């Protein structure tokens, strides 16, 4: 609940992690382990991951019938718990599972995963949960259960460690806090099973939509998720 101290702690901790954890493989393992530990040790996240009844049921894994719907429903519960815990102010799907349109060019900010140069074709209000973009729809489910990939986009409002992440990247590090992504990846991987690859990329967004890079003030994180 103390967002200011959390931000300071995140910056100081990850600055230290950069000095201690050097190799790319170790950093990946650390980030994944952090997500798994958060799911187990933070009560609100543990309850959200277990389900409304508070007990985990046997998941539908891989590309089996119902697996994508169940995994996404759990991810939505986790996002709702993160809003309650003030890790984020809100979240929304960016339209449906289609990529953002090239024509909607706005702010640009480099992250270790890429450059944000596009905005979703629609600008949904940030909500506390719910399938605002209709993901997964019938087409997504059919493609998934036929063995195809699934892609969806999430927009996070006021993610608690966004300033810490940007400061660390300005110091030329590629290892910085991505708390929401780590937790969601851990949950989706555990739910869908080891046969499924769960990856995401992050881009920083300025909701003011200013075209002037000098006025760029990121307050949102756009997450592109790929399940295969």
């Amino acid at each position: 609940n103390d967002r200011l101290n959390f931000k300071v702690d995140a910056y100081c901790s990850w600055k230290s992690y950069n000095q201690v954890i050097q190799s790319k493989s170790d950093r990946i393992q650390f980030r994944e382990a952090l997500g798994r530990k958060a799911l187990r040790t933070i009560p609100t996240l543990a309850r959200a991951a277990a389900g409304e009844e508070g007990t985990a049921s046997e998941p539908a894994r891989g590309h089996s019938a119902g697996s994508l719907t169940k995994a996404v429903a759990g991810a939505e519960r986790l996002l709702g718990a993160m809003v309650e815990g003030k890790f984020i102010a809100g979240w929304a799907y960016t339209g449906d599972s289609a990529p953002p349109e090239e024509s909607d060019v706005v702010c640009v900010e480099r992250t270790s995963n890429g450059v944000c140069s596009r905005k979703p074709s629609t600008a949904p209000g940030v909500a506390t949960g719910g399938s605002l973009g209709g993901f997964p729809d019938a087409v997504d489910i059919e493609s998934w259960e036929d063995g195809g990939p699934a892609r969806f986009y999430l927009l996070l409002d006021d993610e608690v460690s966004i300033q810490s992440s940007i400061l660390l990247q300005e110091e030329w590090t590629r290892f910085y806090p991505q708390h929401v992504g780590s937790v969601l990846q851990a949950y989706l991987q555990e739910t869908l099973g080891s046969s499924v690859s769960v990856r995401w990329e992050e881009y920083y967004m300025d909701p003011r939509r200013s075209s002037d890079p000098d006025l760029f003030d990121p307050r949102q994180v756009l997450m592109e998720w790929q399940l295969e």
Side-chain angles (χ1 to χ4, degrees):
N1 288 327
D2 190 342
R3 287 175 59 89
L4 178 58
N5 280 339
F6 188 94
K7 293 175 183 179
V8 174
D9 287 346
Y11 172 79
C12 295
S13 297
W14 285 82
K15 191 175 181 66
S16 298
Y17 299 156
N18 270 277
Q19 298 174 357
V20 176
I21 308 172
Q22 296 291 325
S23 74
K24 181 178 180 180
S25 61
D26 286 345
R27 290 179 171 187
I28 291 173
Q29 291 177 17
F30 178 84
R31 198 187 301 280
E32 292 174 348
L34 188 65
R36 291 192 297 269
K37 184 173 183 179
L39 281 180
R40 293 194 306 268
T41 60
I42 299 178
T44 54
L45 298 184
R47 287 193 296 269
E52 295 179 358
E53 296 80 12
T55 57
S57 57
E58 185 64 27
R61 295 185 179 276
H63 290 261
S64 61
S67 62
L68 181 62
T69 301
K70 186 167 186 176
V72 170
E76 291 181 357
R77 290 195 304 270
L78 283 170
L79 287 163
M82 291 180 198
V83 173
E84 293 178 9
K86 299 183 180 180
F87 292 100
I88 55 177
W91 70 276
Y93 287 110
T94 61
D96 55 22
S97 58
E101 294 184 4
E102 296 285 351
S103 59
D104 208 0
V105 177
V106 288
C107 54
V108 177
E109 173 73 6
R110 181 174 296 279
T111 74
S112 70
N113 290 314
V115 176
C116 165
S117 60
R118 295 175 296 177
K119 191 79 167 177
S121 56
T122 58
V126 177
T128 58
S131 298
L132 302 181
F135 182 82
D137 61 18
V139 175
D140 297 318
I141 293 171
E142 181 179 3
S143 173
W144 177 257
E145 294 179 0
D146 285 341
R151 177 182 298 167
F152 62 98
Y153 295 83
L154 295 173
L155 191 64
L156 309 180
D157 187 48
D158 194 20
E159 195 272 333
V160 66
S161 57
I162 185 172
Q163 288 90 357
S164 303
S165 300
I166 292 172
L167 282 173
L168 287 165
Q169 290 175 80
E170 288 176 349
E171 296 173 6
W172 301 100
T173 175
R174 296 174 64 86
F175 191 45
Y176 54 91
Q178 294 175 289
H179 296 120
V180 175
S182 296
V183 169
L184 291 181
Q185 183 188 42
Y187 173 78
L188 292 170
Q189 193 71 75
E190 179 179 313
T191 303
L192 294 170
S194 59
S195 64
V196 174
S197 170
V198 179
R199 296 178 290 109
W200 92 96
E201 295 184 356
E202 292 185 358
Y203 309 91
Y204 299 135
M205 311 297 291
D206 185 345
R208 299 175 307 167
R209 295 171 170 257
S210 173
S211 59
D212 185 348
D214 293 333
L215 299 178
F216 183 76
D217 183 19
R219 300 295 179 87
Q220 297 174 316
V221 179
L222 174 65
M223 309 182 81
E224 178 184 5
W225 286 90
Q226 181 83 13
L227 312 177
E228 294 180 301

